[in-house]
Amino acid sequence: MTIFFTVLFTIFIAEMGDKTQLLLVAMAGKYKISHILTGTWLATVLLNVLAVGVGAALGSYLDMRIIKLVAGLAFFWFAYSILKGDEEEEGEKEMKHNLGPVLAIFGSFFIGELGDKTQLSAITLAANYTDHQFMNAFWVFSGAVLGLILADLIGLVVGVFLKSRMPTGILNTLSFGIFAVFGVVSIREAMILCFGAGTRAIAGYIVITGVFALCSLGAFIKRRVKKL
C-alpha cells in the first residue's frame, strides 16, 4: 500500500495546474458531465496501462512531433467548434449519438496527456517500483489512475461551478481561450521539434496559427451577423 499512496500523491501533485486539468474547466462549458467523466476516465485508464505496461518503450516508439502537432490541431478544433457551435440546428443536435462527444473528449484528453509530465511521472514510478512483480505494477497503476482522476475532478468541479455562476457567453469565451492557448503552445512545440528553433519553425507556427485565427474570426463574424 505504500507504493499505492506514494504514486497517488505524486501523480496528484504532478497533475495540479496541468493543461488537462484546465481543459476540463473548458469542457464543462461545452459537454455533459456524464460524457466528460466517461471520456476522461477511459483515457486515464488507457494512458496508465501504457505507462505501467510499456512505459520504457514509449519514448522509443512514439514520435513526439506527431503527438504535439495532433494535440495542437485538436485543441484548435475544440476552440473553433465553440465559436461555431451555435450555428447547429436543434434537430442536428438531437441526432448526434452520445458516443460522439465521449470519443471527442477521450481523444482530446488522451492526446493532451500523452507524453506530458504526469504520464512521464507514471512511467518513472513504474520503472522504480514494479520490479517485474504483478502486485507492484497493480499498485502503481491504481495509484496513478486515482491520482489523475482526483486532480482532474477538481478541474471539472471548477468548470461546473463557473457554468452555473457565469453567463454562457463569458464561459464560452473562457473555454475558447483555454483551448486556443494550449493549441498555440502545442503547435509551437511541434514546430520546434520538427525544424529546431529557426525560421522554418517560426514560419510553420505562423501559418498554422494564422489559419486557425482566420477561421475563428470568420466563425465569429458569421455568428454576429446572424444575431443582427
Side-chain angles (χ1 to χ4, degrees):
M1 289 297 288
T2 301
I3 294 175
F4 171 78
F5 286 111
T6 300
V7 174
L8 188 155
F9 179 76
T10 303
I11 296 299
F12 179 82
I13 295 300
E15 182 66 7
M16 292 301 293
D18 196 40
K19 65 175 178 290
T20 43
Q21 188 184 46
L22 296 177
L23 284 174
L24 286 172
V25 175
M27 287 178 180
K30 181 176 174 62
Y31 296 107
K32 294 180 180 178
I33 301 300
S34 59
H35 293 161
I36 296 172
L37 292 177
T38 303
T40 54
W41 288 0
L42 286 174
T44 297
V45 170
L46 181 55
L47 284 162
N48 285 291
V49 166
L50 291 173
V52 176
V54 294
L58 284 177
S60 302
Y61 295 106
L62 289 180
D63 192 331
M64 290 305 298
R65 295 173 296 181
I66 297 175
I67 291 172
K68 293 292 184 182
L69 182 60
V70 171
L73 295 175
F75 294 147
F76 278 164
W77 170 253
F78 274 98
Y80 174 74
S81 67
I82 289 172
L83 290 179
K84 194 179 178 182
D86 289 344
E87 297 176 18
E88 293 180 346
E89 298 295 331
E90 285 299 318
E92 293 177 339
K93 290 181 179 179
E94 292 297 324
M95 290 174 63
K96 288 185 175 179
H97 194 275
N98 285 342
L99 195 58
V102 171
L103 290 176
I105 295 165
F106 170 86
S108 178
F109 190 87
F110 182 85
I111 293 171
E113 192 66 39
L114 190 62
D116 200 14
K117 71 176 187 292
T118 310
Q119 199 194 28
L120 294 177
S121 298
I123 292 171
T124 303
L125 290 166
N128 288 338
Y129 290 119
T130 53
D131 195 28
H132 303 292
Q133 296 183 32
F134 174 78
M135 283 308 299
N136 287 354
F138 172 77
W139 290 125
V140 172
F141 170 78
S142 301
V145 168
L146 186 58
L148 191 60
I149 286 175
L150 290 176
D152 289 332
L153 277 176
I154 294 175
L156 183 57
V157 169
V158 171
V160 171
F161 175 80
L162 292 177
K163 185 177 181 179
S164 64
R165 301 285 179 173
M166 297 174 65
T168 302
I170 296 177
L171 184 58
N172 284 345
T173 301
L174 176 63
S175 299
F176 173 84
I178 292 173
F179 284 124
V181 167
F182 287 130
V184 167
V185 171
S186 295
I187 293 298
R188 178 178 176 274
E189 292 174 349
M191 292 299 100
I192 291 175
L193 288 172
C194 288
F195 304 112
T199 55
R200 289 195 298 173
I202 295 173
Y205 168 73
I206 290 175
V207 168
I208 295 175
T209 54
V211 170
F212 162 71
L214 288 174
C215 290
S216 298
L217 180 61
F220 175 76
I221 292 173
K222 187 175 181 180
R223 191 174 67 177
R224 295 290 294 181
V225 168
K226 287 187 69 174
K227 289 183 178 181
L228 293 178

